[in-house]
Amino acid sequence: MVTVEPVWIEGVPFTAVSVVLPKTNLLVVTHEKGYIMCGALDVDLLNEKLADRNIVAGRAVGVRSIQDLLEAPLEKVTIGSKAFGWEEGMIGKEAMLRLVREGS
């Protein structure tokens, strides 16, 4: 099953996507400028093979729900995300808010 729904962080709308798969779930919170995702995200691939795209993304591991993803520290972030002040250890929802605050 795939679920796409709005999620609000401090009054700012984002899009949450959940994909239920056998024995795991794919979880994403996205915005037009970037996204955070569960441990399935290959940050190294984005940084190395897709470097020319300057993708803004971060990965949190051990999350089981969209709420977990928003509350978890980011274990790894892309080089492109650094322009928005993202860093490892930052909480997911704070990273997402920086897309709006830093990118205005």
Side-chain angles (χ1 to χ4, degrees):
M1 174 179 11
V2 177
T3 305
V4 178
E5 59 191 2
V7 61
W8 294 81
I9 306 169
E10 294 184 16
V12 179
F14 297 90
T15 301
V17 181
S18 300
V19 181
V20 177
L21 299 170
K23 300 183 182 181
T24 193
N25 296 321
L26 295 177
L27 304 167
V28 181
V29 176
T30 187
H31 179 270
E32 63 190 34
K33 297 175 185 170
Y35 60 94
I36 57 174
M37 189 172 164
C38 64
L41 180 64
D42 188 343
V43 174
D44 292 330
L45 174 101
L46 300 180
N47 283 336
E48 296 165 14
K49 303 281 188 199
L50 305 177
D52 61 316
R53 298 183 190 184
N54 200 34
I55 295 170
V56 176
R59 173 177 70 201
V61 295
V63 297
R64 293 179 176 234
S65 68
I66 292 296
Q67 192 59 40
D68 286 351
L69 180 58
L70 292 171
E71 298 295 332
L74 297 179
E75 181 261 346
K76 197 163 192 177
V77 299
T78 61
I79 294 166
S81 70
K82 308 247 182 204
F84 291 92
W86 288 21
E87 54 190 44
E88 283 87 11
M90 172 179 283
I91 300 301
K93 66 182 174 183
E94 179 57 34
M96 295 307 293
L97 287 170
R98 286 189 182 196
L99 292 176
V100 178
R101 294 179 184 148
E102 304 291 325
S104 301

